[in-house]
Amino acid sequence: MIDRRRLMLSAAAGAAAAGFAPLAVSMAQDNADAALDRLMDQWLDEDLDRNPTSATGLGLDRGDKAYRASSLGDYSVAGRQADRERALARWTELQTLPTSGLSETGRINHAVAAFRTETAARGARFPYGAGGRSPYVVTQLSGAYFSVPDFLDNQHRVEDAAGADAFLERLQAFGKALDDETACIQADAAQGVTPPDFILDLATGQIDTLAATPGERLALIQSLERKSAAAGLSGYGARGVAIVDQAVRPALERQSAALKALRADASSDAGVWRLPDGQALYAQGLRSNTTTTLTAAEIHQMGLEQVAEITAEIDAILKAQGMTQGTVGERVQAMNDDPAQLWPDTDEGKVQLIESLNRQVAALDPLLPRLFGRLPRSGVEVRRVPPSIEAGAPGGYYQGPPLDGSRPGAYYINLRSTRNWPKFALPTLTYHEASPGHHLQVALQRESEHLPAWRRAGGFSAYNEGWALYAEAVAADDLDAYAQYPLGRVGFLMSYLFRAVRLVVDTGLHDQRWSRQRAIDYMAASGAKPRDAATSEINRYCVWPGQACAYKVGHTVIARLREQEAAKPDFDLRAFHDKVLEAGSMPLAVLESRFA
């Protein structure tokens, strides 16, 4: 149980969150509201100028902002330091902004702004890392080598010659971004900040694979050829290959060499406790990702309790199905290995798997109006994680539609091996990543007509992931998705077990100094993931400290709010869902205050 008082984040955010009434229907803003939104929209505009790939993702690189569409941003050591200084200055500036006269909506917005800005300022005290998510600049999950090819393939638009030329400019900038990141890697290593040895191995393996791939076979070049041909253009693929050979491939090789040079002295210890000021770094990771002040010890204990509760429920279902021998983990592993539960681990089998998930999304859509008063206009597609990065990529992730709705949302599933996705576990993943999970929530926020642009573009992991996990239960319980499929319900419960296990292993790695192997063994023994997938997951937590705790903490709060509201005689589930979603993503303390 999370005490609501433990969710209050700071004096500033706590005061701003206190006493919220329901979201005002009228969006008429007084001067205080307008001043806040002007400042935050100004900051958003500045941020998108510095991070033009985000601008493209949001559809804010057109018209007088079209210059953003041809650059990648600043990846340099100096750029990182400027970001830190900016974060500190913004927190100081926000504290001077008058708060008297804010409307109910304005107080919500101020609480959101206060948490976001103060959190960024707290993070700026750490003079290393990529900022925000990871203390390491390049890992198996992050870095320009990982993000830029995927971005150019899936988000950069080529609608005319200007778009194709901008693609080539960004491709040219890719080489410089890699070299700038290599300089950051070396600067951090001088401070004693180097990824664990096994992370270096994973990252260099992926970089080397990318560097060794002939230019014409790269997905981003094939994407450029396909998009430019559709626009009636020719010759761009060959120009792209030339840039890869001249600017990108040498930079990839230099980055790989720099990382390999660190390997001999790298540690096999997985946790960030070994880094300079590592204990404070992890506390910051938990705070920013869970939007609470819960300690590592409290989160660890929460995880242990929830693992025990969920395991007992799974045990009862398995026994009712005649599966009585062995631990829950052993019985689930037997299901994971059952050929009847596996798609063929072939290209054809993977295509069939993706097609089945897209059919599942389509089948659920007509049922959603029963539970939601507002639904997004944007659709969602299921896609495969690009094979070039699947060795280190997460099991699944969501990419929201831009603010202008010019493309659908997408959820990506990692098909490194279909053995990681037994059929009984797949439905709940789709409910999490698509609807009623991430896509429904994020698309509604981006399409909102009453939220200012800076709110529509932002988000908080605990809210977003907590909602997506809660949405799995909406599908399971409110829409009876598994009424005729008991093993599907096991898959649903395994998803919850997986997130509870995350609380244990993330805090185990970074606070209790567990070894990587101990964390892998714990997750695999629980049955939450097959060992191969468990290994990939633990590698993820090693480089994103605290993020894995956002899911179950956020879900616990949203589920408790529903239980609280359901006890009232006039409870309406559609109205509850709309109230949770209508004001957009926010810290958990602010969300709770809306139901106080």
Side-chain angles (χ1 to χ4, degrees):
M1 179 66 70
I2 303 176
D3 184 339
R4 180 178 176 276
R5 290 171 297 177
R6 300 287 295 136
L7 298 179
M8 286 307 179
L9 309 163
S10 68
F20 284 160
L23 186 68
V25 175
S26 171
M27 290 303 294
Q29 295 182 320
D30 57 21
N31 291 337
D33 286 7
L36 173 64
D37 285 340
R38 276 196 304 271
L39 179 62
M40 299 306 295
D41 281 335
Q42 173 191 325
W43 288 356
L44 173 63
D45 199 50
E46 293 169 356
D47 289 345
L48 294 177
D49 276 348
R50 291 195 314 279
N51 300 283
T53 56
S54 296
T56 296
L58 293 168
L60 298 177
D61 61 350
R62 298 175 182 265
D64 63 349
K65 302 294 184 181
Y67 61 86
R68 292 170 173 165
S70 58
S71 61
L72 295 176
D74 189 348
Y75 292 70
S76 69
V77 173
R80 287 198 306 172
Q81 182 56 32
D83 286 343
R84 295 186 180 104
E85 293 171 0
R86 185 178 301 105
L88 293 168
R90 284 182 173 182
W91 177 228
T92 298
E93 182 176 2
L94 184 64
Q95 292 179 86
T96 67
L97 197 69
T99 58
S100 59
L102 286 169
S103 69
E104 295 165 357
T105 299
R107 290 197 296 272
I108 293 175
N109 289 344
H110 188 273
V112 170
F115 178 83
R116 181 182 296 168
T117 309
E118 184 188 11
T119 298
R122 286 172 176 260
R125 65 171 289 200
F126 301 100
Y128 53 80
R133 177 172 279 182
S134 179
Y136 312 118
V137 176
V138 173
T139 72
Q140 83 283 14
L141 290 170
S142 61
Y145 88 91
F146 186 94
S147 62
V148 171
D150 183 46
F151 165 78
L152 288 174
D153 183 9
N154 290 298
Q155 297 191 52
H156 182 96
R157 298 181 308 279
V158 178
E159 300 166 339
D160 51 26
D165 290 339
F167 188 110
L168 293 180
E169 290 184 63
R170 278 178 156 164
L171 189 59
Q172 186 72 47
F174 185 17
K176 182 179 187 305
L178 289 162
D179 284 334
D180 283 345
E181 282 189 335
T182 299
C184 291
I185 291 166
Q186 294 165 334
D188 288 355
Q191 301 180 64
V193 179
T194 300
D197 51 15
F198 56 91
I199 296 298
L200 290 171
D201 292 342
L202 288 168
T204 53
Q206 294 182 165
I207 294 170
D208 290 346
T209 296
L210 186 62
T213 303
E216 64 274 9
R217 290 177 53 194
L218 289 171
L220 64 90
I221 296 298
Q222 294 173 352
S223 176
L224 173 60
E225 289 184 321
R226 185 175 62 253
K227 293 174 183 177
S228 59
L233 307 170
S234 63
Y236 280 92
R239 293 167 64 184
V241 169
I243 293 172
V244 167
D245 290 341
Q246 295 165 13
V248 177
R249 196 183 319 281
L252 287 168
E253 292 168 350
R254 288 190 289 270
Q255 185 164 103
S256 178
L259 290 169
K260 289 173 181 175
L262 303 176
R263 179 63 170 77
D265 296 325
S267 172
S268 60
D269 290 326
V272 296
W273 53 263
R274 64 185 176 82
L275 300 180
D277 214 6
Q279 185 176 6
L281 176 74
Y282 186 51
Q284 169 67 7
L286 290 177
R287 182 183 186 276
S288 62
N289 282 292
T290 70
T291 67
T292 75
T293 54
L294 291 167
T295 66
E298 289 170 325
I299 292 173
H300 191 82
Q301 184 60 34
M302 179 195 302
L304 291 173
E305 292 171 358
Q306 294 194 10
V307 166
E309 293 170 2
I310 299 166
T311 298
E313 187 172 353
I314 295 170
D315 183 40
I317 295 175
L318 293 177
K319 286 179 177 176
Q321 296 299 306
M323 302 175 67
T324 61
Q325 301 301 310
T327 66
V328 165
E330 289 168 345
R331 282 174 277 167
V332 170
Q333 187 59 51
M335 292 171 58
N336 290 337
D337 295 336
D338 182 355
Q341 290 292 337
L342 299 176
W343 290 93
D345 205 6
T346 62
D347 287 341
E348 182 180 356
K350 293 171 182 179
V351 169
Q352 293 172 348
L353 188 155
I354 295 287
E355 290 175 347
S356 75
L357 297 185
N358 277 303
R359 287 194 300 270
Q360 181 188 336
V361 170
L364 188 72
D365 281 347
L367 307 180
L368 296 176
R370 288 162 40 186
L371 301 178
F372 299 93
R374 297 172 58 245
L375 293 171
R377 297 184 296 275
S378 300
V380 61
E381 299 174 355
V382 187
R383 302 172 184 169
R384 181 179 176 180
V385 169
S388 61
I389 60 172
E390 64 186 7
Y397 54 88
Y398 172 75
Q399 179 187 95
L403 295 182
D404 63 3
S406 57
R407 58 172 168 74
Y411 108 67
Y412 291 83
I413 181 169
N414 191 327
L415 297 182
R416 179 176 66 251
S417 171
T418 59
R419 293 184 63 83
N420 290 328
W421 296 114
K423 293 178 181 179
F424 72 90
L426 279 168
T428 198
L429 174 71
T430 303
Y431 300 138
H432 180 103
E433 299 291 350
S435 293
H438 281 315
H439 177 66
L440 187 147
Q441 178 257 312
V442 172
L444 278 177
Q445 177 173 307
R446 293 195 172 176
E447 294 171 3
S448 172
E449 297 178 355
H450 64 259
L451 292 175
W454 67 274
R455 290 290 320 283
R456 290 189 290 131
F460 296 90
S461 195
Y463 176 100
N464 291 15
E465 298 297 353
W467 171 264
L469 198 53
Y470 166 80
E472 295 177 23
V474 170
D477 297 330
D478 299 317
L479 295 175
D480 296 324
Y482 309 115
Q484 305 301 320
Y485 186 28
L487 293 186
R489 180 150 189 101
V490 171
F492 156 63
L493 291 171
M494 291 305 302
S495 173
Y496 273 38
L497 176 63
F498 171 44
R499 274 41 177 247
V501 165
R502 279 178 162 177
L503 301 180
V504 178
V505 296
D506 196 90
T507 52
L509 287 164
H510 298 298
D511 181 65
Q512 299 191 13
R513 303 194 177 193
W514 283 20
S515 69
R516 171 177 176 252
Q517 192 59 53
R518 180 178 176 183
I520 292 169
D521 290 344
Y522 181 90
M523 178 172 281
S526 74
K529 286 289 178 182
R531 183 165 290 273
D532 176 65
T535 301
S536 180
E537 285 293 328
I538 297 304
N539 292 339
R540 167 184 172 179
Y541 313 151
C542 294
V543 301
W544 289 351
Q547 194 274 339
C549 297
Y551 300 70
K552 208 62 176 70
V553 172
H555 163 259
T556 300
V557 170
I558 295 172
R560 190 180 68 242
L561 287 175
R562 172 168 168 169
E563 182 180 0
Q564 167 191 307
E565 295 300 298
K568 299 177 180 178
D570 59 347
F571 176 68
D572 181 289
L573 184 55
R574 290 202 340 157
F576 171 75
H577 288 158
D578 290 347
K579 186 172 181 178
V580 171
L581 295 169
E582 68 179 351
S585 184
M586 60 185 65
L588 296 177
V590 183
L591 176 64
E592 286 215 321
S593 295
R594 288 185 30 78
F595 290 89

